[in-house]
Amino acid sequence: MDAFEIIFTTTLWVAAIRIASPLIFATLGELICERAGILNLGIEGIMVAGSFAGWVTVYAGGDLWLGVLVAALVGAIFGLLHGVLVVPLGLSQHVTGIGITLLASSLTYFVYRLLFPSLTSPPRITPFQPLPLPGLSQIPFLGEALFSQTALTYLAFIAVGVVAYILYRTPIGLAVRTVGENPAAVEAQGIDVTWIRIGAVMCGSALMAIGGAFLTMSAVDAFYINMVNGRGWICIALVVFGSWRPGKALLGAVLFAAFDAYQIRLQQKYGTAIPYQVFLMLPYILSILALVVMSRRAGYPRALMVPYRKGER
Amino acid sequence: MRLEPRAETSLALNLLAPVSALVVSLIICGLLVAIAGAAILPTFGLVVKGAFGSQFALLETLTRSTPLIFTGLAAAVAFRAKLWNIGAEAQLYMGAIVCVVLGTGLVPLPSVVLIPLILIAGALAGALTLLGPALLKTRFGVDEVVTTLLLNFIILLFVSLLLEGPLKDPMGMGWPQSSRVIADATLPKLIHGKRLHLGFVLAVLSAVTVWFINARTTFGYEMRAVGHNARAAAFAGIPVNAVMVKTALLSGGLAGLAGVSEVAGLKGNLTLDLSPGFGYTGIVVAMLALLNPLAVIATAIFVAAIFVGADAMSRSAGVPSYIANVMVAVSLLSMVVAVMFTRFKVSWK
């Protein structure tokens, strides 16, 4: 099989959709924050915290869905902290976000080491199992790639629709989009900018944490230190690539994941001729390239990173 | 609740800010120590003893602070001009690579020539690593936060590639590590038989130099002007993009020096764990110092003390050493909050 034929194999696309799932959750999460005018660089740490919180809940005997819920709650709590620091207090969103990432990941690793002081191999849980959808999974190619995944992957795709619906079709979505463009206009309508922004950051952070939980509860069955490995930063690039639109962000995440799955297969094929590190670099390089191409016509939310103070112009 | 800018900040308030940030951090970490089942005050005592309790501990703290002074300065310089360089980790490793390439016998020169050469070349490598993201920012408007962050991962993989390929130590028993730098490329120790090396002196000199540039030169003024209000600076005739690029070169160069200093001064060779996140921790060091280059020396020693002390404490008290990372993150967040309250007052109405 040559390099070109790999693109048309079902296994590639099954892997691509699986790799895309955590990115879809976290990209949606970052998108909601940025749509409300808040850059959330806490994403990397929040994913770490979510991956551990979900996994440890199940390890302690909880139900898988309870694990997802706990991860979301932990994410929302870090979101609340970020929101309070950058919205009413107006602190630098860059510095605070880095601080949240450092705090969330170090707290997670602290608790992990506390609960599991000396380990040779990480303890395992029974993760989400593939759930072929009756009927749909029988469709050739698509059925296997899209409709034989785990429940959490279906949730990722449903989340895209729900977030798009809320953002574009509901009053609350309009309020979120407007606080990211022109907060004073929202204030004039008698809506509290502060709470809309904090709420958006909390919801977004909850989604990021579920993205992290996907890694430990669906992709694999254990928690490792450094397992998020820059996925959060890639999601920030994906938001720009998707022009802050849920549908385009989904497309970006799937394309990115397909490329990632493809490089893994190329690596197996040409691993002896080209060092494997070159293949591992490709996703990060691709993210930077995507940013360069898209930044020229990027329609940033106009109030992104602009603190809002009532009555100030 | 609303925040109103203060007309002036009293000295007492300025001193209160770091103290209250420290108190908040200690309370939160105390809680974690209690959760870990250890006695709070004795555990803190062990941290302080581990960091400053003996000549060995003190020298170890200063040794650990050396790369943090460099990366702290790198962040302080860049953040002052609102250039968000989160890629000091990558710049550090590029400096380290160049140090290993030149310092392992490729250029047999006497140490008086070779050491300045690897320092300059390492700084240059770090500077060029940040030049890319800086040009992408000024030319294409690409956000440097994401590009510098992603470069960290790319460069670390590049190091891994080199250590398993061209720079692999033939005597390394298969470990991914480089050969050791030759004696003429090794930074001399400050005290015979101890680990503290010339890098610490160079770091302190760099801090003084950066302070001088900031406070006494036109370039320093331009950096501050661009950071304060880039549009106003442009109206005043300051070439904003050129200042950004020059700032990037200075910041990247400082981070590159951290890599040279760690390899040539302490470790002797390049490995994949040369830096346990010095680049990221440098951001905390810079923020705790309120971006003041001279204060960076003090805050780097403070942060180094937390890490060295927590390592020692963790061995005897059984509290995971990640408590140091928590402490550092909490002190960053509480410091930025405390500083905010020195500049604004809260009015309830």
Side-chain angles (χ1 to χ4, degrees), chain B residues 218-229:
Chain B
T218 316
F219 175 46
Y221 171 78
E222 288 175 340
M223 281 197 288
R224 275 180 287 138
V226 168
H228 201 70
N229 186 339

Side-chain angles (χ1 to χ4, degrees), chain A:
Chain A
M1 187 165 32
D2 67 19
F4 187 67
E5 281 170 34
I6 297 176
I7 300 174
F8 302 103
T9 55
T10 324
T11 51
L12 174 87
W13 290 95
V14 173
I17 297 296
R18 188 181 62 236
I19 295 170
S21 304
L23 302 177
I24 294 170
F25 280 119
T27 307
L28 273 184
E30 183 69 33
L31 184 144
I32 294 173
C33 299
E34 292 193 16
R35 261 306 172 79
I38 306 297
L39 175 74
N40 191 351
L41 291 182
I43 183 168
E44 181 84 5
I46 291 171
M47 287 182 81
V48 175
S51 67
F52 180 72
W55 173 85
V56 84
T57 306
V58 179
Y59 183 76
D63 179 68
L64 281 167
W65 289 107
L66 181 68
V68 175
L69 193 69
V70 169
L73 266 175
V74 167
I77 291 169
F78 281 111
L80 176 65
L81 181 60
H82 186 63
V84 167
L85 292 179
V86 301
V87 182
L89 298 185
L91 297 177
S92 156
Q93 298 183 7
H94 285 112
V95 174
T96 309
I98 296 287
I100 297 283
T101 281
L102 292 176
L103 178 67
S105 49
S106 56
L107 260 181
T108 305
Y109 296 150
F110 176 81
V111 176
Y112 176 65
R113 275 278 171 264
L114 197 62
L115 296 179
F116 307 96
S118 50
L119 286 174
T120 42
S121 65
R124 302 186 177 284
I125 60 166
T126 311
F128 280 101
Q129 301 298 319
L131 182 75
L133 295 183
L136 292 172
S137 59
Q138 302 305 314
I139 307 170
F141 190 71
L142 267 186
E144 217 174 320
L146 270 180
F147 301 115
S148 306
Q149 300 279 354
T150 67
L152 221 42
T153 295
Y154 303 137
L155 186 67
F157 280 82
I158 293 167
V160 176
V162 171
V163 168
Y165 179 81
I166 292 175
L167 272 182
Y168 293 107
R169 292 275 183 277
T170 64
I172 191 125
L174 179 66
V176 168
R177 284 186 292 133
T178 318
V179 292
E181 298 284 343
N182 186 351
V186 178
E187 192 77 54
Q189 298 228 305
I191 303 171
D192 194 328
V193 173
T194 306
W195 282 111
I196 293 278
R197 282 190 162 172
I198 292 180
V201 174
M202 287 177 73
C203 293
S205 303
L207 281 173
M208 295 169 190
I210 297 177
F214 183 94
L215 297 173
T216 50
M217 299 171 64
S218 185
V220 294
D221 54 5
F223 174 84
Y224 306 93
I225 289 199
N226 290 336
M227 78 185 300
V228 175
N229 205 12
R231 282 183 180 83
W233 312 131
I234 287 171
C235 290
I236 292 184
L238 284 174
V239 173
V240 181
F241 180 79
S243 318
W244 290 267
R245 289 172 179 277
K248 282 189 181 173
L250 169 72
L251 185 71
V254 171
L255 281 179
F256 179 88
F259 180 80
D260 202 13
Y262 187 56
Q263 66 80 15
I264 294 167
R265 282 157 181 77
L266 284 186
Q267 194 180 316
Q268 285 157 357
K269 198 168 160 58
Y270 300 103
T272 44
I274 305 168
Y276 69 92
Q277 292 94 342
V278 174
F279 294 103
L280 292 180
M281 278 179 206
L282 290 175
Y284 302 109
I285 295 172
L286 185 76
S287 302
I288 292 180
L289 286 180
L291 272 183
V292 174
V293 173
M294 297 307 290
S295 284
R296 294 191 136 182
R297 46 195 165 136
Y300 282 85
R302 245 173 300 160
L304 183 60
M305 289 188 273
V306 183
Y308 180 73
R309 293 209 175 88
K310 220 184 270 186
E312 261 180 35
R313 283 201 289 169

Side-chain angles (χ1 to χ4, degrees), chain B residues 227-238:
Chain B
H228 201 70
N229 186 339
R231 274 187 65 197
F235 274 120
I238 293 174

Side-chain angles (χ1 to χ4, degrees), chain B residues 117-309:
Chain B
L117 177 74
I118 56 170
L119 287 170
I120 292 168
L124 214 61
L128 290 177
T129 312
L130 187 52
L131 183 63
L135 287 177
L136 285 178
K137 177 192 171 78
T138 54
R139 294 282 169 85
F140 300 108
V142 182
D143 185 39
E144 74 279 18
V145 173
V146 189
T147 48
T148 51
L149 273 168
L150 291 172
L151 260 182
N152 290 340
F153 294 87
I154 296 173
I155 298 297
L156 201 61
L157 284 164
F158 181 57
V159 172
S160 161
L161 188 158
L162 291 177
L163 291 182
E164 289 177 15
L167 289 184
K168 190 184 172 86
D169 180 10
M171 317 297 261
M173 322 266 276
W175 288 101
Q177 63 181 42
S178 76
S179 309
R180 298 189 68 79
V181 291
I182 57 176
D184 281 334
T186 305
L187 301 182
K189 302 283 183 249
L190 293 184
I191 305 167
H192 182 73
K194 300 284 191 274
R195 275 155 53 93
L196 190 64
H197 54 89
L198 186 67
F200 180 73
V201 177
L202 294 174
V204 171
L205 287 177
S206 302
V208 175
T209 312
V210 171
W211 170 80
F212 182 82
I213 293 174
N214 265 352
R216 294 280 184 273
T217 68
T218 316
F219 175 46
Y221 171 78
E222 288 175 340
M223 281 197 288
R224 275 180 287 138
V226 168
H228 201 70
N229 186 339
R231 274 187 65 197
F235 274 120
I238 293 174
V240 173
N241 282 349
V243 171
M244 271 299 179
V245 170
K246 276 195 274 180
T247 307
L249 292 175
L250 180 59
S251 169
L254 287 161
L257 283 177
V260 178
S261 150
E262 280 302 278
V263 171
L266 189 64
K267 300 287 169 60
N269 63 359
L270 175 59
T271 54
L272 275 171
D273 56 359
L274 178 74
S275 162
F278 288 137
Y280 302 101
T281 313
I283 295 170
V284 183
V285 168
M287 292 311 297
L288 292 180
L290 303 181
L291 308 185
N292 178 328
L294 294 179
V296 160
I297 303 171
T299 54
I301 293 174
F302 169 72
V303 170
I306 294 176
F307 278 105
V308 172

